Amino acid sequence: MEYTLSKIATNDGHGENSAFFDGWKAYDSDPYHPTKNPNGVIQMGLAENQLSFDLVQEWVKKNPKASICTNEGVDDFKEIAIFQDYHGLPEFRNAVARFMERVRGNRVRFDPNRIVMSGGATGAQETLAFCLADSGDALLVPTPYYPGNDRDLTWRTGIQLLPVVCESSTGFKITREALETAYKKAQDSNIKVKGLLLNNPSNPLGTTIDKQTLTESLTFTNEKQIHLICDEIYSATVFDQPGFTSIAEIFEENPKSYNPNLIHIVYSLSKDLGFPGFRVGIIYSYNDTVTNCARKMSSFGLVSTQTQHLIASMLSDDEFVDRFIPESAKRLAKRHEILTRGLAQVGIGSLKSNAGLFCWMDLRRLLKEATFEAEAELWRMIIEDVKINVSPGAPFHCSEPGWFRVCFANMDDEAVRVAINRIHEFVMIVQTKKQRYIRRGKLEVSLSFRRLDEIMMGSMKMSSPHSPMSSPLVRAMT
Amino acid sequence: MEYTLSKIATNDGHGENSAFFDGWKAYDSDPYHPTKNPNGVIQMGLAENQLSFDLVQEWVKKNPKASICTNEGVDDFKEIAIFQDYHGLPEFRNAVARFMERVRGNRVRFDPNRIVMSGGATGAQETLAFCLADSGDALLVPTPYYPGNDRDLTWRTGIQLLPVVCESSTGFKITREALETAYKKAQDSNIKVKGLLLNNPSNPLGTTIDKQTLTESLTFTNEKQIHLICDEIYSATVFDQPGFTSIAEIFEENPKSYNPNLIHIVYSLSKDLGFPGFRVGIIYSYNDTVTNCARKMSSFGLVSTQTQHLIASMLSDDEFVDRFIPESAKRLAKRHEILTRGLAQVGIGSLKSNAGLFCWMDLRRLLKEATFEAEAELWRMIIEDVKINVSPGAPFHCSEPGWFRVCFANMDDEAVRVAINRIHEFVMIVQTKKQRYIRRGKLEVSLSFRRLDEIMMGSMKMSSPHSPMSSPLVRAMT
Ligand SMILES: Cc1ncc(COP(=O)(O)O)c(C=O)c1O
Ligand SMILES: Cc1ncc(COP(=O)(O)O)c(C=O)c1O
């Protein structure tokens, strides 16, 4: 070809070919449906919050004026459709700021004039990257982390993400030591570190970051005079103790101790309300220059005014918000309990968690060997035999193979029941060796189960003698 | 400050400080209102299409199922809110492709699978820039051109726009010679030219590009093996002969003659339907790699699914579309006629145009001297004395001072009438020198009118002897 495209278009910076995306494709070609395709793949790889739409739909029916497409609201159609100020509708900014305060138990204040829109948290992350760092610069990110970060923060900006290695032995806690190690490593390689990106609560861990760790992290970035970006997209999904602490609280408790120009929050309604389709992303920076610059950049990904208008009405309805937040958390707690108990019944553990739309499942001892190749092999087996799409730890940059993210809020109770049954059956079959499924004549399945069985035998051999196991499957650390 | 932001955040690549934006600020601080502020500034600097909202609102009322916020449509709320596939809702892609065909008189076909979403044409332009060129590379752009291009195509991508100088003497026609000159100039400076950006119909000219010029342009880019981007955002605003020819037609008529990998169309519903708030941008590329890459990039600026859903229903309603397109054009034609006649009555000419939401007004001979300083001075006077915000040619990179863009579709008939009256009065006052307004005791106004008068006297002295003028104002070339 005589013409050329850009380097960005021809490199693989988007990373869509990772296993994270492969799993979605497997699901897409054979999706589970209770009646039409009961043996299809169950999608547990999507961090979606579908549990409380009845509350939303009920509200929508009761509030026809919230929409510009109802008889009650259509008179506003023109004004809303032509509104193109990148500051956003004032009522939208107010409502979002207020909602963010409520989610944080009204312990902090958010200035509506600092609310900057973006195309989801996806757009927010990229915008902040463009504002804070030049091509070649780096941000530190504790592992495991949301794989989309690689695309969102680095692809078009040319910046790099450097891992801060966190380990299961400490519950994947972010330590000052790990931060310093990562920072030093970058310095040794002559890479300019411009900031630290935290995700609180964490995807994929499903845990909130405790106050002390947040304080330490902020002290670290403040000392180094680098930026702290907190992605708090899962803030309203906290369903258990300890509760959620926002970086805004740490800052406001000791505003004199930290340079506000270095603190930035990313938010979105994709998870807390479950509206990823609406693309409502928010950048909240305490830095005026960043706020102004990000707002100008928001022209590339403004929120549709049709959606701003709806969200403004919905989130300024205190009664609705006061009911939605706790009810949604309650339902997530229940779903989390059903899944983790179901797993525990057959000896599968997961990291103790209190937030998010997923749990972080420990299948380390199921691995043939402690490598990411073995993790990928196990993952393919889970897709092909158990027909559940979970996400392996590798694309999350987890430092230890064998962890898997299992999403639990993107399906109905029945699908969860089927998924748990499948896992149970799978484990039972493995436990009773080949007899049962050969009797049933499940020849094709037996072949791959045999493969799994061999792996598990290997894994058994590997498991340490001082932890005698009744099952090759592991009760994980919790 | 010990910490640093990015170069992008600290350079002035956004360009918001140009006069183009200043005018909006002037309007914002003193906006005209028929009763509340009848002496306020009339905004004629906004290329908005507000003339046909009655048709849209009527349709909305008749189609409650088109919205997820009505009793009739709310059952789809959840499915739409959680939809996050960057391919977009299939019905959206289909409807948009079909609509684009209709706007082009069904003379071409658009493949729904090539429809890529973006945050308005703003996002579409940036996305294409990221796909086609590396930092430092250049795109050629005929002048005058939409000032937003500077921000959209260059700010975060690091590419540059190089002017292809078009002149009033040929009606701002794009000539092969001008293209070659610009291309050669870039080569001489060792700048890699990656493409040519056309805007058809043109903002600010309000003219369509004729078939021959399109063919020549495509031949030029094809020969040089560079990309051709056609921004066809105003395609359904064509209200007069000659009609609109899309680059898609030129290509499809002789598909063997051109490399399809080099042809890309930018579209949006901001102008044709008048929905800039909804942020519906479209990239249509004949290049598979670009289509795929742009679709991945669309994650940064997807269209809200709430909006996709509405647009899908609206644009797949053939009856509505068949009525809307000609009716909207008819109303634009009428408005254009009222404005240009109103201007002509007092000797102000404008480029003969057949499309868009504005006319390109010629005030060259009103300039004290043929400089952009004089243009800026005249523009400030128009804002301050006539209290109309029009846009001077400078931010459009016009090569000749004295041209102004006057938008006519973002207001009601009454505001146009007031604007024309103000212009008439202004011209009358100037013609009868100071007597009348001194008699009226408009002292404050007289001061600045005197300033204008002096300038016009200067201008009169400058005007060539073989064009005797009854008024210092000019009947422009049309
Ligand atoms: C931690 C985290 N950040 C950002 C995003 C992107 O969210 P959005 O849909 O708002 O772009 C996600 C989505 O999965 C996420 O998990
Ligand atoms: C020629 C041209 N291209 C692109 C745009 C940006 O439009 P959108 O609102 O779709 O981002 C405009 C808006 O004025 C324009 O005139």
Side-chain angles (χ1 to χ4, degrees):
Chain A
M1 282 197 287
E2 280 157 276
Y3 69 95
T4 52
L5 302 179
S6 68
K7 294 194 191 87
I8 292 174
T10 45
N11 71 18
D12 60 351
H14 181 266
E16 192 175 82
N17 301 324
S18 79
F20 193 67
F21 293 99
D22 281 357
W24 292 357
K25 286 178 202 152
Y27 165 77
D28 279 346
S29 63
D30 180 26
Y32 166 81
H33 185 277
T35 52
K36 291 183 208 152
N37 192 19
N39 295 318
V41 174
I42 298 179
Q43 173 61 290
M44 299 184 93
L46 259 185
E48 266 176 13
N49 188 355
Q50 299 193 8
L51 302 189
S52 300
F53 270 99
D54 55 325
L55 303 183
V56 173
Q57 294 185 203
E58 185 191 303
W59 182 89
V60 164
K61 278 194 228 172
K62 278 201 208 135
N63 291 274
K65 242 192 105 51
S67 162
I68 55 173
C69 293
T70 55
N71 275 316
E72 294 82 349
V74 73
D75 288 345
D76 291 329
F77 193 101
K78 178 178 143 188
E79 285 312 312
I80 297 297
I82 63 172
F83 184 88
Q84 52 185 316
D85 183 343
Y86 58 33
H87 291 84
L89 292 166
E91 56 272 28
F92 170 79
R93 271 181 283 149
N94 290 336
V96 168
R98 201 63 203 92
F99 181 72
M100 289 174 69
E101 289 171 357
R102 274 166 187 258
V103 167
R104 286 151 189 82
N106 288 315
R107 293 181 300 272
V108 281
R109 284 283 154 265
F110 289 110
D111 177 357
N113 293 323
R114 287 193 180 277
I115 296 286
V116 173
M117 284 179 278
S118 61
T122 299
Q125 303 276 41
E126 189 189 58
T127 298
L128 277 177
F130 272 122
C131 289
L132 305 181
D134 292 316
S135 180
D137 292 349
L139 296 179
L140 304 180
V141 196
T143 64
Y145 66 78
Y146 167 58
N149 285 340
D150 293 314
R151 171 197 66 195
D152 302 344
L153 290 139
T154 76
W155 188 30
R156 304 198 304 185
T157 64
I159 74 161
Q160 18 180 350
L161 299 186
L162 302 178
V164 175
V165 180
C166 302
E167 282 161 347
S168 63
S169 56
T170 54
F172 297 98
K173 208 170 133 71
I174 302 156
T175 62
R176 174 83 194 215
E177 200 194 332
L179 291 170
E180 291 286 359
T181 306
Y183 190 83
K184 186 159 183 316
K185 203 172 152 192
Q187 280 193 316
D188 291 348
S189 315
N190 263 319
I191 298 169
K192 193 164 172 182
V193 174
K194 294 299 285 285
L196 167 67
L197 171 66
L198 298 184
N199 178 209
N200 177 31
S202 158
N203 174 8
L205 300 177
T207 52
T208 47
I209 303 182
D210 61 89
K211 271 191 156 192
Q212 198 201 327
T213 304
L214 283 174
T215 308
E216 276 172 20
S217 300
L218 187 51
T219 304
F220 168 79
T221 53
N222 202 62
E223 278 174 24
K224 305 282 190 216
Q225 285 292 293
I226 60 175
H227 297 277
L228 179 60
I229 304 173
C230 265
D231 176 353
E232 301 189 344
I233 186 172
Y234 291 98
S235 48
T237 67
V238 181
F239 51 77
D240 204 352
Q241 288 308 318
F244 170 64
T245 305
S246 168
I247 199 68
E249 293 173 61
I250 306 294
F251 170 60
E252 284 196 12
E253 275 172 19
N254 286 297
K256 293 270 181 301
S257 307
Y258 310 105
N259 181 348
N261 287 322
L262 296 170
I263 308 174
H264 323 275
I265 296 172
V266 163
Y267 189 51
S268 144
L269 300 182
S270 295
K271 310 299 177 179
D272 285 355
L273 288 181
F275 300 166
F278 291 178
R279 310 314 298 139
V280 184
I282 301 295
I283 295 159
Y284 192 92
S285 173
Y286 292 92
N287 182 318
D288 291 343
T289 308
V290 171
T291 300
N292 289 332
C293 182
R295 185 171 284 131
K296 286 172 185 168
M297 288 187 182
S298 73
S299 296
F300 300 112
L302 293 169
V303 177
S304 168
T305 48
Q306 185 191 11
T307 297
Q308 285 185 48
H309 183 71
L310 172 67
I311 295 300
S313 310
M314 192 181 289
L315 297 191
S316 60
D317 181 341
D318 291 348
E319 211 179 296
F320 169 74
V321 172
D322 284 345
R323 191 170 155 227
F324 182 90
I325 298 175
E327 179 62 26
S328 170
K330 203 173 103 188
R331 294 183 190 184
L332 289 172
K334 193 173 151 208
R335 184 56 71 78
H336 173 262
E337 167 106 7
I338 290 172
L339 178 67
T340 51
R341 282 208 180 187
L343 293 175
Q345 274 170 16
V346 287
I348 301 176
S350 53
L351 183 71
K352 181 168 163 38
S353 63
N354 64 333
L357 311 168
F358 28 72
C359 67
W360 190 231
M361 178 170 72
D362 181 2
L363 299 182
R364 278 180 293 169
R365 294 210 220 160
L366 278 191
L367 299 183
K368 206 159 134 185
E369 51 180 31
T371 64
F372 287 102
E373 291 71 45
E375 176 182 281
E377 202 175 326
L378 177 59
W379 174 70
R380 272 180 211 287
M381 210 167 297
I382 294 172
I383 290 246
E384 286 164 24
D385 298 340
V386 194
K387 298 236 173 181
I388 296 179
N389 179 37
V390 296
S391 309
F396 294 88
H397 300 260
C398 187
S399 59
E400 301 163 34
W403 293 87
F404 291 81
R405 192 191 69 171
V406 191
C407 296
F408 55 69
N410 61 323
M411 56 190 65
D412 57 22
D413 287 334
E414 172 62 10
V416 179
R417 205 186 52 71
V418 174
I420 292 175
N421 279 352
R422 285 189 192 175
I423 296 172
H424 280 201
E425 198 185 347
F426 161 81
V427 173
M428 298 302 282
I429 287 168
V430 171
Q431 280 177 333
T432 57
K433 302 274 150 37
K434 287 156 226 163
Q435 293 119 327
R436 265 177 72 186
Y437 54 90
I438 285 175
R439 210 164 49 229
R440 284 193 195 163
K442 285 192 183 174
L443 198 63
E444 254 190 71
V445 175
S446 74
L447 282 170
S448 39
F449 273 169
R450 191 177 308 134
R451 219 170 76 216
L452 176 66
D453 201 50
E454 280 158 15
I455 287 168
M456 302 228 293
M457 296 310 282
S459 148
M460 273 184 80
K461 277 183 239 134
M462 275 172 54
S463 71
S464 67
H466 53 82
S467 67
M469 305 276 299
S470 63
S471 142
L473 286 150
V474 157
R475 179 168 302 270
M477 56 150 302
T478 48
Chain B
M1 283 196 287
E2 280 158 277
Y3 68 95
T4 52
L5 302 179
S6 68
K7 294 193 192 87
I8 292 174
T10 45
N11 70 18
D12 61 352
H14 182 267
E16 193 176 79
N17 301 325
S18 78
F20 193 67
F21 293 100
D22 281 356
W24 292 357
K25 286 178 202 153
Y27 165 77
D28 279 346
S29 63
D30 180 26
Y32 166 80
H33 186 278
T35 52
K36 291 182 210 152
N37 191 20
N39 295 318
V41 175
I42 298 179
Q43 173 60 288
M44 299 185 94
L46 259 184
E48 267 177 12
N49 188 355
Q50 299 193 8
L51 303 188
S52 300
F53 270 99
D54 55 325
L55 304 182
V56 173
Q57 294 185 201
E58 184 190 305
W59 182 89
V60 164
K61 279 194 226 173
K62 278 202 208 134
N63 291 274
K65 242 193 105 53
S67 161
I68 55 174
C69 292
T70 54
N71 275 317
E72 292 83 350
V74 73
D75 289 344
D76 291 329
F77 193 100
K78 177 178 143 189
E79 285 312 313
I80 297 298
I82 63 172
F83 185 88
Q84 51 185 316
D85 182 343
Y86 59 33
H87 291 85
L89 292 167
E91 57 271 27
F92 170 79
R93 270 181 282 148
N94 290 335
V96 168
R98 199 65 202 91
F99 180 73
M100 288 174 69
E101 289 170 358
R102 275 167 188 258
V103 168
R104 285 152 190 81
N106 288 314
R107 294 181 299 271
V108 281
R109 286 281 154 266
F110 288 110
D111 178 357
N113 294 321
R114 287 193 180 276
I115 296 286
V116 173
M117 284 178 278
S118 60
T122 299
Q125 303 277 40
E126 188 188 58
T127 298
L128 277 176
F130 271 123
C131 289
L132 305 180
D134 292 316
S135 179
D137 292 349
L139 295 179
L140 304 180
V141 196
T143 63
Y145 65 78
Y146 166 59
N149 285 339
D150 293 314
R151 171 197 66 195
D152 302 344
L153 290 138
T154 75
W155 188 30
R156 303 198 305 184
T157 64
I159 74 162
Q160 17 180 351
L161 299 186
L162 301 178
V164 175
V165 180
C166 301
E167 283 161 346
S168 63
S169 56
T170 55
F172 297 98
K173 208 170 133 71
I174 303 156
T175 62
R176 175 83 194 216
E177 200 194 331
L179 291 171
E180 292 287 359
T181 305
Y183 189 84
K184 185 156 184 320
K185 201 172 155 194
Q187 280 194 315
D188 291 347
S189 316
N190 263 320
I191 298 170
K192 193 164 174 184
V193 174
K194 295 299 286 286
L196 168 66
L197 171 66
L198 297 184
N199 178 209
N200 178 29
S202 158
N203 174 7
L205 300 178
T207 53
T208 48
I209 304 181
D210 62 89
K211 271 192 157 189
Q212 198 202 328
T213 303
L214 282 174
T215 308
E216 275 173 20
S217 300
L218 186 51
T219 304
F220 168 79
T221 54
N222 203 62
E223 278 174 24
K224 304 282 190 217
Q225 286 291 294
I226 61 174
H227 297 277
L228 179 60
I229 304 174
C230 265
D231 176 352
E232 301 189 345
I233 187 172
Y234 291 99
S235 49
T237 68
V238 180
F239 52 77
D240 204 352
Q241 288 309 317
F244 170 64
T245 306
S246 168
I247 199 67
E249 292 173 62
I250 306 294
F251 169 59
E252 284 195 13
E253 275 173 17
N254 285 297
K256 294 271 181 301
S257 308
Y258 310 104
N259 181 349
N261 288 321
L262 296 170
I263 308 172
H264 324 275
I265 296 172
V266 163
Y267 189 52
S268 144
L269 300 182
S270 295
K271 309 299 175 180
D272 285 355
L273 288 182
F275 300 166
F278 291 178
R279 311 313 299 141
V280 184
I282 302 294
I283 296 159
Y284 192 92
S285 173
Y286 292 92
N287 181 318
D288 291 343
T289 308
V290 171
T291 301
N292 289 332
C293 182
R295 185 171 284 131
K296 287 172 185 169
M297 288 186 183
S298 73
S299 297
F300 300 112
L302 293 169
V303 178
S304 168
T305 49
Q306 184 192 11
T307 298
Q308 285 185 48
H309 182 72
L310 172 68
I311 295 300
S313 310
M314 193 181 290
L315 297 190
S316 61
D317 181 340
D318 291 348
E319 211 177 298
F320 169 73
V321 172
D322 284 345
R323 191 171 155 226
F324 183 90
I325 298 175
E327 179 63 26
S328 169
K330 205 173 100 188
R331 295 183 189 183
L332 289 172
K334 193 173 150 206
R335 182 58 70 80
H336 173 262
E337 169 106 7
I338 290 171
L339 179 66
T340 50
R341 281 208 182 188
L343 294 176
Q345 274 171 14
V346 287
I348 301 176
S350 53
L351 183 70
K352 181 168 163 40
S353 63
N354 63 333
L357 312 167
F358 28 73
C359 67
W360 189 229
M361 178 170 72
D362 181 1
L363 299 183
R364 279 179 294 169
R365 292 210 221 162
L366 279 190
L367 300 182
K368 207 159 135 185
E369 51 181 29
T371 64
F372 287 102
E373 290 72 43
E375 177 183 280
E377 202 176 326
L378 177 58
W379 173 71
R380 274 181 211 286
M381 210 167 297
I382 295 172
I383 291 246
E384 285 164 26
D385 298 339
V386 194
K387 298 235 175 182
I388 296 180
N389 179 36
V390 296
S391 309
F396 294 89
H397 300 258
C398 187
S399 59
E400 301 163 33
W403 293 88
F404 291 80
R405 192 191 69 172
V406 189
C407 296
F408 56 70
N410 61 323
M411 57 189 66
D412 57 21
D413 287 333
E414 172 64 9
V416 179
R417 204 187 52 73
V418 174
I420 293 176
N421 279 351
R422 286 191 191 174
I423 296 171
H424 279 202
E425 198 184 347
F426 161 81
V427 172
M428 298 301 283
I429 287 168
V430 171
Q431 281 177 331
T432 57
K433 302 273 149 36
K434 285 156 226 161
Q435 292 117 326
R436 263 178 69 189
Y437 52 92
I438 286 174
R439 209 165 48 229
R440 284 195 197 158
K442 286 190 184 174
L443 198 64
E444 256 189 67
V445 175
S446 75
L447 282 170
S448 39
F449 274 168
R450 190 177 310 134
R451 218 168 78 217
L452 176 65
D453 200 51
E454 282 157 15
I455 287 169
M456 302 227 294
M457 295 311 281
S459 149
M460 273 183 80
K461 277 183 238 133
M462 276 170 54
S463 70
S464 66
H466 52 83
S467 66
M469 305 274 300
S470 62
S471 143
L473 285 149
V474 158
R475 179 167 301 270
M477 55 150 303
T478 47

